[in-house]
Amino acid sequence: MTKKQTFVIITIFLLFISCEKKQTALEFEKSVANEIFPALLDSLFHDTRLAPSPPPPPNSEWSDSTAVKWDESKMIAEYEKRKAELEKDTTKLVIAIVDSTYQINERAKKELIEFYRDFAIELDTANIDQSYKINLSELKHDDKFKLKYRSEFPATSKVWKGDYDFRLSGITGFSRIQFDRTKNYGVMISGFGCGRLCGFSGLVFIRKLNGKWIIDKIKVTAIS
């Protein structure tokens, strides 16, 4: 290979590198949100077709004059049976996703520093006040779910009384992500609604571990 040929190859290579598109801060944030979404939905989802698990038996030290008869074995058996039936059910469960991200708040930022205090993190100062439209096609999820935009449903609590040809199993969404300076730790706000007076919201603490984003904890801050 001549010096001229070598020079041409190196020039083309350098041009390719310089033209390669760099990922913006927003693109990075969206990629993290999309990556964490399957685990987020799995953690938040509550199937209202399944009754809560049976409560524990009463405290044996209670000195009530009326004897309490308690046999949870039947309740547990019925619960496990129903759970197994639902796991085999191939019906698509529709989840409504709030169209755009929420704003993050100062409480979440303070909680991020406190939660990861052992790592002495500092907040990323990038502006995350602006929301962005969530692209449903980019959100990966379990095959049992089908995603629709929240705007496709009534804006009020009538959303739960709609005559649909599918089962609306919940409403969720998420905020912008507040990262630390290294972009290895973050917090977002999310929640799940399963009825007019059924749901919760909280802070979702995430971090990068072995090259992948994971949920460390969901701290519930409101419940109904």
Side-chain angles (χ1 to χ4, degrees):
M1 182 181 295
T2 65
K3 290 183 178 180
K4 184 177 181 180
Q5 289 174 321
T6 302
F7 176 79
V8 171
I9 292 174
I10 293 175
T11 302
I12 293 174
F13 178 72
L14 291 175
L15 286 173
F16 175 79
I17 293 177
S18 63
C19 292
E20 188 176 4
K21 183 180 179 181
K22 293 183 178 180
Q23 190 179 45
T24 66
L26 181 57
E27 288 171 338
F28 170 76
E29 181 183 337
K30 287 181 178 180
S31 70
V32 174
N34 295 339
E35 180 182 340
I36 206 72
F37 184 76
L40 178 64
L41 183 56
D42 185 61
S43 299
L44 299 174
F45 176 69
H46 169 61
D47 194 338
T48 55
R49 298 174 298 172
L50 182 64
S53 56
N59 194 319
S60 60
E61 297 179 357
W62 286 359
S63 57
D64 196 324
S65 58
T66 303
V68 178
K69 295 182 180 179
W70 191 271
D71 181 9
E72 72 274 20
S73 58
K74 183 178 180 180
M75 291 186 288
I76 293 176
E78 291 176 349
Y79 173 83
E80 293 297 336
K81 179 182 177 181
R82 180 58 175 157
K83 184 178 179 180
E85 291 173 350
L86 292 177
E87 288 176 349
K88 295 178 181 179
D89 191 349
T90 58
T91 302
K92 291 285 186 180
L93 304 178
V94 172
I95 303 295
I97 307 293
V98 178
D99 298 38
S100 298
T101 53
Y102 317 139
Q103 285 189 345
I104 202 76
N105 55 40
E106 292 302 315
R107 175 183 177 179
K109 296 177 182 180
K110 293 177 181 178
E111 293 264 9
L112 173 62
I113 294 175
E114 174 61 22
F115 188 80
Y116 291 113
R117 61 183 180 278
D118 292 344
F119 300 94
I121 67 171
E122 296 181 5
L123 296 182
D124 182 10
T125 57
N127 187 349
I128 55 173
D129 291 335
Q130 296 295 322
S131 62
Y132 65 82
K133 177 72 176 289
I134 295 172
N135 188 340
L136 296 187
S137 65
E138 295 179 349
L139 297 181
K140 296 180 181 179
H141 52 85
D142 192 289
D143 288 340
K144 67 182 178 182
F145 297 119
K146 182 176 181 180
L147 307 183
K148 288 180 175 290
Y149 282 118
R150 176 66 179 86
S151 59
E152 297 179 38
F153 299 89
T156 65
S157 60
K158 291 181 179 179
V159 63
W160 302 110
K161 299 179 180 179
D163 185 19
Y164 312 121
D165 58 357
F166 53 82
R167 181 180 181 82
L168 176 61
S169 293
I171 299 173
T172 189
F174 51 86
S175 72
R176 297 289 304 269
I177 303 174
Q178 174 64 60
F179 292 102
D180 76 309
R181 285 186 182 275
T182 68
K183 286 187 168 56
N184 286 310
Y185 303 90
V187 65
M188 61 200 302
I189 301 171
S190 189
F192 191 83
C194 46
R196 192 171 68 88
L197 293 174
C198 172
F200 68 93
S201 62
L203 302 175
V204 184
F205 298 97
I206 63 176
R207 67 184 167 110
K208 197 171 187 179
L209 181 65
N210 298 326
K212 295 183 179 180
W213 284 92
I214 64 168
I215 296 175
D216 262 335
K217 182 180 180 179
I218 296 180
K219 181 180 180 180
V220 176
T221 56
I223 191 168
S224 64

